[in-house]
Structure formats: C-alpha cells, structure tokens
Amino acid sequence: MTDADIDPAIIRDRLDYSPIVDRPRLRLPKGERIAVWTIVNVENWSPAGPMPRAVLPPPMGQPLLPDVPNWAWHEYGMRVGFWRFLEVLGKRNLRASFAVNGSACTVYEAACRAAYAAGWDFIGHGFVQRPMHRVEDQAKAIADTIAAIEALTGAPPRGWESPGLTETLDTLDLLAAAGIEYVCDWCLDDQPVTLKTTSGPIVSVPYTVEINDVVMTAVQGHRSDEIYRRGVDQFDRLYLEGSENPRVMAISIHPYLTGAPHRIKYLEMLYDYILGHEGVAMLTGSEILDWFKTQNPRD
C-alpha cells in the first residue's frame, strides 16, 4: 500500500478532535491528580532471524545470521533483567501491566507465570515481535495471542499493544472484533480517549514513546539515568496539570534495557520519587480502563 492508497480520513475519523483544555473534568477514584502505570514488555526474538533492534552493528555493515550478539543482548533481559523488575515492583507493592508476545508465554513460561503470580495485568503484544504490517493473517495472530495468554492466566487479555505500536488500517477493527477493550498504540493524549471501530468503541489508554526505554536507550542513546531525569520532569508537569483535570502517565520498560545493572537503580529512584507525592494513583491498564468507563459510561 502506498501513500496514495491511504485515505487520511480513515484514521482521523477514529476519534473526535478534543482539546484537553475544553473537556469536562474527570475524577480519579480518590480524587488523585494523576494515574501512573507501568508497562513491562516481554518479546520473543527468534535467534534465526534479523533482530528487531541491535546494540552492535554488523561487521562491515553486512547483516549476518544468526545474529548471536544482538540476540544474546535481548536474551539477557529474560534471564536476568526481568527478575530485577519483579523485585523492584514487588518491594513497592506495585503491579505492572505485562505486554507479552503470545509465543513468549511458552518460550519464557517461568517469567510469564511469575508475572501472573505477582498479579500483573496481561496485555497482548502480538504473537511474535513483528510489525502488524508484516503479519500475513492479523486476525489469526490476534486470536493466537489471546489464546496463549488465556491458557496461561485463565482469562483473555483486555488490552493490546502492537509490536512497535504498528497498526494497519484494519488492525483496530480486528482487535475490537476479537474482544480487546483497550489499546496502547495511539500515543496522542494524556487522558484516555475513545476510538471508533466497526465493532463498537475501543479505548486508547495513554501509552508513551517519551518515557520509554527503547526510545531513550536503544534509539537516542542517552545516559543510564535518563529514565529518572526525564521521568521526574514528565511526572512533575502532569502532576501540576492534574490539579485541574487528572492526567495519565505511562512508564514503558524492557528487561534487556532498563533491567541492565547500570540502569535499574534509576527506575527505583523514579518510583520512589513518584511514591513520595500525595494524590497519585498507581494503576494497571485495566484499572485505568475501568475508571475511565465510570466517567464515560457509554464507552
């Protein structure tokens, strides 16, 4: 599909344009200023194929398969980094939302069962780590992901985060038809918004490409403390604005990035800074969805 084949109205018509300054005031359950949620992303990178991201460029610029160094970089996160997340969150009585590839429920079963035991909120994240534009049968991939999560947890996921936040023109309709209630792909607001699909409304819960370690670390190459410095600044502004109308802040992390030894303490520092404030609701994606529905019962 080329640019000429895409009607921009199809995307814009998914939601109404609504300036945040003109909206009715929302109210968090206890009158808090801000809801903060954490998304832990767990992905299945096949060692047989090209890596979705790389820490080492290929020698002489020629891609080589198997790409053991970059696959191992990711695999470290599942062998070690993930368990740091579990400890950091558990010590603070926090529950994450768990964006997981359906195939990872088998490949990394121990980690997924630990996330379930910790009470984390499971989110579908594609069946394998591949852009939705490269998935031959999106409906099957969505169904397979839902089935894998339900087999492990006993319940289907309510939320969805596409690999790389990618969607085709059909993805949202397919997700809603499959029973998904909220998505993370539309990073366009500081409050939940309702999107239109052919199967009824679906909610966009505010996700982030700003407080996201893929962007900060793997793309922009910032220092180890960037998640703390940027996270504090993000929180401070949203907390200030939340006195007028509550905001939602997302923290998106990956085990192979923020789970590294030289970065993990900055995640701890960020949580401790946030928890040092009154008027903060630490929620999961499903809890934000349920709260938003009380504010917008028609959704």
mmCIF file of all heavy atoms in Angstrom, residues 138-175:
data_model
loop_
_atom_site.group_PDB
_atom_site.id
_atom_site.type_symbol
_atom_site.label_atom_id
_atom_site.label_comp_id
_atom_site.label_asym_id
_atom_site.label_seq_id
_atom_site.Cartn_x
_atom_site.Cartn_y
_atom_site.Cartn_z
ATOM 1 N N GLN A 138 -3.577 -11.136 10.304
ATOM 2 C CA GLN A 138 -3.655 -10.422 11.576
ATOM 3 C C GLN A 138 -4.701 -11.021 12.513
ATOM 4 O O GLN A 138 -4.467 -11.133 13.720
ATOM 5 C CB GLN A 138 -3.982 -8.945 11.340
ATOM 6 C CG GLN A 138 -2.860 -8.126 10.765
ATOM 7 C CD GLN A 138 -3.169 -6.641 10.839
ATOM 8 O OE1 GLN A 138 -3.257 -6.081 11.927
ATOM 9 N NE2 GLN A 138 -3.339 -6.024 9.685
ATOM 10 N N ALA A 139 -5.837 -11.387 11.973
ATOM 11 C CA ALA A 139 -6.902 -11.936 12.812
ATOM 12 C C ALA A 139 -6.424 -13.197 13.518
ATOM 13 O O ALA A 139 -6.698 -13.406 14.714
ATOM 14 C CB ALA A 139 -8.149 -12.228 11.974
ATOM 15 N N LYS A 140 -5.690 -14.049 12.818
ATOM 16 C CA LYS A 140 -5.170 -15.279 13.434
ATOM 17 C C LYS A 140 -4.109 -14.952 14.486
ATOM 18 O O LYS A 140 -4.092 -15.557 15.568
ATOM 19 C CB LYS A 140 -4.577 -16.201 12.368
ATOM 20 C CG LYS A 140 -4.094 -17.547 12.929
ATOM 21 C CD LYS A 140 -3.551 -18.437 11.832
ATOM 22 C CE LYS A 140 -3.200 -19.824 12.361
ATOM 23 N NZ LYS A 140 -2.212 -19.781 13.466
ATOM 24 N N ALA A 141 -3.228 -14.011 14.182
ATOM 25 C CA ALA A 141 -2.187 -13.639 15.144
ATOM 26 C C ALA A 141 -2.802 -13.076 16.418
ATOM 27 O O ALA A 141 -2.347 -13.377 17.532
ATOM 28 C CB ALA A 141 -1.235 -12.625 14.522
ATOM 29 N N ILE A 142 -3.843 -12.275 16.271
ATOM 30 C CA ILE A 142 -4.540 -11.733 17.442
ATOM 31 C C ILE A 142 -5.204 -12.857 18.227
ATOM 32 O O ILE A 142 -5.080 -12.940 19.462
ATOM 33 C CB ILE A 142 -5.569 -10.675 17.001
ATOM 34 C CG1 ILE A 142 -4.854 -9.440 16.434
ATOM 35 C CG2 ILE A 142 -6.485 -10.287 18.157
ATOM 36 C CD1 ILE A 142 -5.766 -8.479 15.688
ATOM 37 N N ALA A 143 -5.897 -13.741 17.519
ATOM 38 C CA ALA A 143 -6.573 -14.856 18.185
ATOM 39 C C ALA A 143 -5.574 -15.773 18.881
ATOM 40 O O ALA A 143 -5.808 -16.234 20.015
ATOM 41 C CB ALA A 143 -7.404 -15.643 17.177
ATOM 42 N N ASP A 144 -4.446 -16.050 18.230
ATOM 43 C CA ASP A 144 -3.427 -16.926 18.825
ATOM 44 C C ASP A 144 -2.823 -16.287 20.078
ATOM 45 O O ASP A 144 -2.520 -16.982 21.059
ATOM 46 C CB ASP A 144 -2.326 -17.226 17.808
ATOM 47 C CG ASP A 144 -2.778 -18.165 16.698
ATOM 48 O OD1 ASP A 144 -3.864 -18.767 16.832
ATOM 49 O OD2 ASP A 144 -2.042 -18.292 15.696
ATOM 50 N N THR A 145 -2.635 -14.985 20.044
ATOM 51 C CA THR A 145 -2.080 -14.280 21.205
ATOM 52 C C THR A 145 -3.061 -14.326 22.372
ATOM 53 O O THR A 145 -2.680 -14.612 23.518
ATOM 54 C CB THR A 145 -1.771 -12.821 20.843
ATOM 55 O OG1 THR A 145 -0.853 -12.793 19.751
ATOM 56 C CG2 THR A 145 -1.182 -12.074 22.031
ATOM 57 N N ILE A 146 -4.315 -14.047 22.091
ATOM 58 C CA ILE A 146 -5.342 -14.101 23.137
ATOM 59 C C ILE A 146 -5.423 -15.503 23.728
ATOM 60 O O ILE A 146 -5.483 -15.678 24.958
ATOM 61 C CB ILE A 146 -6.706 -13.664 22.567
ATOM 62 C CG1 ILE A 146 -6.679 -12.169 22.232
ATOM 63 C CG2 ILE A 146 -7.840 -13.978 23.537
ATOM 64 C CD1 ILE A 146 -7.899 -11.672 21.475
ATOM 65 N N ALA A 147 -5.391 -16.520 22.870
ATOM 66 C CA ALA A 147 -5.480 -17.900 23.339
ATOM 67 C C ALA A 147 -4.289 -18.289 24.213
ATOM 68 O O ALA A 147 -4.437 -18.975 25.226
ATOM 69 C CB ALA A 147 -5.601 -18.847 22.152
ATOM 70 N N ALA A 148 -3.097 -17.837 23.828
ATOM 71 C CA ALA A 148 -1.894 -18.173 24.602
ATOM 72 C C ALA A 148 -1.948 -17.552 25.993
ATOM 73 O O ALA A 148 -1.593 -18.194 26.989
ATOM 74 C CB ALA A 148 -0.655 -17.704 23.854
ATOM 75 N N ILE A 149 -2.386 -16.311 26.067
ATOM 76 C CA ILE A 149 -2.485 -15.641 27.368
ATOM 77 C C ILE A 149 -3.578 -16.271 28.213
ATOM 78 O O ILE A 149 -3.407 -16.504 29.421
ATOM 79 C CB ILE A 149 -2.724 -14.135 27.166
ATOM 80 C CG1 ILE A 149 -1.469 -13.490 26.565
ATOM 81 C CG2 ILE A 149 -3.117 -13.454 28.470
ATOM 82 C CD1 ILE A 149 -1.634 -12.035 26.180
ATOM 83 N N GLU A 150 -4.704 -16.588 27.586
ATOM 84 C CA GLU A 150 -5.797 -17.216 28.339
ATOM 85 C C GLU A 150 -5.399 -18.590 28.860
ATOM 86 O O GLU A 150 -5.760 -18.979 29.976
ATOM 87 C CB GLU A 150 -7.054 -17.318 27.477
ATOM 88 C CG GLU A 150 -8.267 -17.823 28.230
ATOM 89 C CD GLU A 150 -9.554 -17.659 27.460
ATOM 90 O OE1 GLU A 150 -9.503 -17.375 26.245
ATOM 91 O OE2 GLU A 150 -10.632 -17.812 28.076
ATOM 92 N N ALA A 151 -4.623 -19.335 28.073
ATOM 93 C CA ALA A 151 -4.172 -20.655 28.514
ATOM 94 C C ALA A 151 -3.279 -20.553 29.744
ATOM 95 O O ALA A 151 -3.296 -21.427 30.619
ATOM 96 C CB ALA A 151 -3.432 -21.358 27.382
ATOM 97 N N LEU A 152 -2.496 -19.489 29.827
ATOM 98 C CA LEU A 152 -1.571 -19.330 30.955
ATOM 99 C C LEU A 152 -2.247 -18.720 32.177
ATOM 100 O O LEU A 152 -1.968 -19.117 33.314
ATOM 101 C CB LEU A 152 -0.382 -18.479 30.530
ATOM 102 C CG LEU A 152 0.783 -18.422 31.516
ATOM 103 C CD1 LEU A 152 2.110 -18.461 30.784
ATOM 104 C CD2 LEU A 152 0.714 -17.172 32.387
ATOM 105 N N THR A 153 -3.145 -17.755 31.961
ATOM 106 C CA THR A 153 -3.718 -16.997 33.082
ATOM 107 C C THR A 153 -5.145 -17.378 33.423
ATOM 108 O O THR A 153 -5.643 -17.020 34.493
ATOM 109 C CB THR A 153 -3.705 -15.492 32.775
ATOM 110 O OG1 THR A 153 -4.628 -15.218 31.704
ATOM 111 C CG2 THR A 153 -2.310 -15.030 32.369
ATOM 112 N N GLY A 154 -5.819 -18.063 32.501
ATOM 113 C CA GLY A 154 -7.223 -18.403 32.726
ATOM 114 C C GLY A 154 -8.191 -17.342 32.254
ATOM 115 O O GLY A 154 -9.408 -17.506 32.362
ATOM 116 N N ALA A 155 -7.679 -16.236 31.711
ATOM 117 C CA ALA A 155 -8.548 -15.162 31.230
ATOM 118 C C ALA A 155 -7.916 -14.512 30.009
ATOM 119 O O ALA A 155 -6.691 -14.390 29.928
ATOM 120 C CB ALA A 155 -8.770 -14.114 32.321
ATOM 121 N N PRO A 156 -8.717 -14.057 29.058
ATOM 122 C CA PRO A 156 -8.157 -13.367 27.889
ATOM 123 C C PRO A 156 -7.679 -11.975 28.281
ATOM 124 O O PRO A 156 -8.191 -11.372 29.241
ATOM 125 C CB PRO A 156 -9.342 -13.288 26.926
ATOM 126 C CG PRO A 156 -10.544 -13.283 27.817
ATOM 127 C CD PRO A 156 -10.192 -14.152 28.991
ATOM 128 N N PRO A 157 -6.708 -11.436 27.570
ATOM 129 C CA PRO A 157 -6.263 -10.068 27.860
ATOM 130 C C PRO A 157 -7.322 -9.060 27.453
ATOM 131 O O PRO A 157 -8.054 -9.263 26.486
ATOM 132 C CB PRO A 157 -5.009 -9.917 27.009
ATOM 133 C CG PRO A 157 -5.255 -10.829 25.836
ATOM 134 C CD PRO A 157 -5.997 -12.005 26.410
ATOM 135 N N ARG A 158 -7.395 -7.980 28.192
ATOM 136 C CA ARG A 158 -8.325 -6.902 27.853
ATOM 137 C C ARG A 158 -7.648 -5.836 26.996
ATOM 138 O O ARG A 158 -8.320 -5.094 26.287
ATOM 139 C CB ARG A 158 -8.882 -6.276 29.124
ATOM 140 C CG ARG A 158 -9.593 -7.273 30.031
ATOM 141 C CD ARG A 158 -10.046 -6.628 31.330
ATOM 142 N NE ARG A 158 -11.113 -5.683 31.116
ATOM 143 C CZ ARG A 158 -11.554 -4.815 32.044
ATOM 144 N NH1 ARG A 158 -10.979 -4.786 33.233
ATOM 145 N NH2 ARG A 158 -12.541 -3.981 31.770
ATOM 146 N N GLY A 159 -6.324 -5.754 27.079
ATOM 147 C CA GLY A 159 -5.589 -4.719 26.376
ATOM 148 C C GLY A 159 -4.672 -5.270 25.312
ATOM 149 O O GLY A 159 -4.378 -6.473 25.256
ATOM 150 N N TRP A 160 -4.182 -4.367 24.457
ATOM 151 C CA TRP A 160 -3.313 -4.745 23.342
ATOM 152 C C TRP A 160 -2.308 -3.635 23.072
ATOM 153 O O TRP A 160 -2.657 -2.451 23.065
ATOM 154 C CB TRP A 160 -4.146 -4.974 22.083
ATOM 155 C CG TRP A 160 -3.343 -5.403 20.885
ATOM 156 C CD1 TRP A 160 -2.741 -4.576 19.964
ATOM 157 C CD2 TRP A 160 -3.054 -6.737 20.479
ATOM 158 N NE1 TRP A 160 -2.099 -5.323 19.002
ATOM 159 C CE2 TRP A 160 -2.271 -6.660 19.295
ATOM 160 C CE3 TRP A 160 -3.385 -7.995 20.992
ATOM 161 C CZ2 TRP A 160 -1.815 -7.788 18.626
ATOM 162 C CZ3 TRP A 160 -2.928 -9.128 20.327
ATOM 163 C CH2 TRP A 160 -2.158 -9.026 19.155
ATOM 164 N N GLU A 161 -1.063 -4.040 22.860
ATOM 165 C CA GLU A 161 -0.013 -3.146 22.377
ATOM 166 C C GLU A 161 0.635 -3.813 21.181
ATOM 167 O O GLU A 161 1.266 -4.859 21.307
ATOM 168 C CB GLU A 161 1.035 -2.895 23.468
ATOM 169 C CG GLU A 161 2.202 -2.052 23.006
ATOM 170 C CD GLU A 161 3.390 -2.137 23.951
ATOM 171 O OE1 GLU A 161 3.204 -2.424 25.147
ATOM 172 O OE2 GLU A 161 4.529 -1.933 23.465
ATOM 173 N N SER A 162 0.469 -3.262 20.012
ATOM 174 C CA SER A 162 1.040 -3.863 18.813
ATOM 175 C C SER A 162 2.566 -3.785 18.861
ATOM 176 O O SER A 162 3.125 -2.825 19.394
ATOM 177 C CB SER A 162 0.543 -3.145 17.562
ATOM 178 O OG SER A 162 -0.847 -3.278 17.405
ATOM 179 N N PRO A 163 3.264 -4.781 18.308
ATOM 180 C CA PRO A 163 4.730 -4.688 18.227
ATOM 181 C C PRO A 163 5.153 -3.400 17.520
ATOM 182 O O PRO A 163 4.689 -3.106 16.412
ATOM 183 C CB PRO A 163 5.099 -5.930 17.399
ATOM 184 C CG PRO A 163 3.999 -6.905 17.680
ATOM 185 C CD PRO A 163 2.759 -6.070 17.784
ATOM 186 N N GLY A 164 5.994 -2.626 18.179
ATOM 187 C CA GLY A 164 6.416 -1.356 17.602
ATOM 188 C C GLY A 164 5.293 -0.340 17.476
ATOM 189 O O GLY A 164 5.441 0.651 16.761
ATOM 190 N N LEU A 165 4.158 -0.578 18.158
ATOM 191 C CA LEU A 165 2.966 0.276 18.097
ATOM 192 C C LEU A 165 2.398 0.351 16.683
ATOM 193 O O LEU A 165 1.691 1.305 16.335
ATOM 194 C CB LEU A 165 3.259 1.689 18.619
ATOM 195 C CG LEU A 165 3.914 1.788 20.002
ATOM 196 C CD1 LEU A 165 4.070 3.246 20.406
ATOM 197 C CD2 LEU A 165 3.127 1.025 21.056
ATOM 198 N N THR A 166 2.669 -0.649 15.855
ATOM 199 C CA THR A 166 2.260 -0.618 14.449
ATOM 200 C C THR A 166 0.818 -1.081 14.276
ATOM 201 O O THR A 166 0.366 -2.022 14.929
ATOM 202 C CB THR A 166 3.174 -1.517 13.610
ATOM 203 O OG1 THR A 166 3.157 -2.848 14.166
ATOM 204 C CG2 THR A 166 4.597 -0.993 13.615
ATOM 205 N N GLU A 167 0.109 -0.425 13.392
ATOM 206 C CA GLU A 167 -1.245 -0.835 13.006
ATOM 207 C C GLU A 167 -1.422 -0.596 11.511
ATOM 208 O O GLU A 167 -0.934 0.404 10.978
ATOM 209 C CB GLU A 167 -2.314 -0.036 13.757
ATOM 210 C CG GLU A 167 -2.436 -0.328 15.232
ATOM 211 C CD GLU A 167 -3.635 0.377 15.861
ATOM 212 O OE1 GLU A 167 -4.442 0.965 15.097
ATOM 213 O OE2 GLU A 167 -3.765 0.347 17.097
ATOM 214 N N THR A 168 -2.149 -1.486 10.866
ATOM 215 C CA THR A 168 -2.641 -1.212 9.525
ATOM 216 C C THR A 168 -4.012 -0.560 9.661
ATOM 217 O O THR A 168 -4.515 -0.358 10.775
ATOM 218 C CB THR A 168 -2.760 -2.506 8.700
ATOM 219 O OG1 THR A 168 -3.842 -3.301 9.229
ATOM 220 C CG2 THR A 168 -1.461 -3.308 8.736
ATOM 221 N N LEU A 169 -4.630 -0.249 8.563
ATOM 222 C CA LEU A 169 -5.960 0.354 8.621
ATOM 223 C C LEU A 169 -6.998 -0.602 9.218
ATOM 224 O O LEU A 169 -8.059 -0.165 9.671
ATOM 225 C CB LEU A 169 -6.400 0.792 7.223
ATOM 226 C CG LEU A 169 -5.568 1.904 6.580
ATOM 227 C CD1 LEU A 169 -6.100 2.216 5.181
ATOM 228 C CD2 LEU A 169 -5.560 3.166 7.440
ATOM 229 N N ASP A 170 -6.707 -1.903 9.230
ATOM 230 C CA ASP A 170 -7.660 -2.897 9.710
ATOM 231 C C ASP A 170 -7.424 -3.339 11.145
ATOM 232 O O ASP A 170 -8.305 -3.956 11.755
ATOM 233 C CB ASP A 170 -7.593 -4.151 8.813
ATOM 234 C CG ASP A 170 -7.886 -3.848 7.359
ATOM 235 O OD1 ASP A 170 -8.792 -3.032 7.107
ATOM 236 O OD2 ASP A 170 -7.202 -4.413 6.483
ATOM 237 N N THR A 171 -6.249 -3.063 11.705
ATOM 238 C CA THR A 171 -5.871 -3.650 12.986
ATOM 239 C C THR A 171 -6.871 -3.331 14.089
ATOM 240 O O THR A 171 -7.300 -4.218 14.844
ATOM 241 C CB THR A 171 -4.466 -3.180 13.407
ATOM 242 O OG1 THR A 171 -3.531 -3.478 12.365
ATOM 243 C CG2 THR A 171 -4.036 -3.869 14.681
ATOM 244 N N LEU A 172 -7.246 -2.084 14.222
ATOM 245 C CA LEU A 172 -8.136 -1.679 15.306
ATOM 246 C C LEU A 172 -9.479 -2.396 15.226
ATOM 247 O O LEU A 172 -10.032 -2.832 16.241
ATOM 248 C CB LEU A 172 -8.327 -0.161 15.273
ATOM 249 C CG LEU A 172 -8.595 0.529 16.610
ATOM 250 C CD1 LEU A 172 -7.453 0.313 17.580
ATOM 251 C CD2 LEU A 172 -8.838 2.011 16.384
ATOM 252 N N ASP A 173 -10.021 -2.531 14.002
ATOM 253 C CA ASP A 173 -11.292 -3.239 13.829
ATOM 254 C C ASP A 173 -11.158 -4.704 14.211
ATOM 255 O O ASP A 173 -12.056 -5.282 14.836
ATOM 256 C CB ASP A 173 -11.763 -3.119 12.376
ATOM 257 C CG ASP A 173 -12.079 -1.689 11.984
ATOM 258 O OD1 ASP A 173 -12.576 -0.934 12.843
ATOM 259 O OD2 ASP A 173 -11.825 -1.330 10.823
ATOM 260 N N LEU A 174 -10.043 -5.311 13.844
ATOM 261 C CA LEU A 174 -9.821 -6.720 14.171
ATOM 262 C C LEU A 174 -9.667 -6.925 15.680
ATOM 263 O O LEU A 174 -10.153 -7.909 16.236
ATOM 264 C CB LEU A 174 -8.582 -7.232 13.441
ATOM 265 C CG LEU A 174 -8.684 -7.294 11.917
ATOM 266 C CD1 LEU A 174 -7.315 -7.572 11.302
ATOM 267 C CD2 LEU A 174 -9.694 -8.349 11.480
ATOM 268 N N LEU A 175 -9.001 -6.000 16.334
ATOM 269 C CA LEU A 175 -8.835 -6.095 17.790
ATOM 270 C C LEU A 175 -10.175 -5.987 18.504
ATOM 271 O O LEU A 175 -10.474 -6.776 19.409
ATOM 272 C CB LEU A 175 -7.884 -5.000 18.283
ATOM 273 C CG LEU A 175 -6.415 -5.156 17.883
ATOM 274 C CD1 LEU A 175 -5.639 -3.887 18.207
ATOM 275 C CD2 LEU A 175 -5.785 -6.360 18.585
#
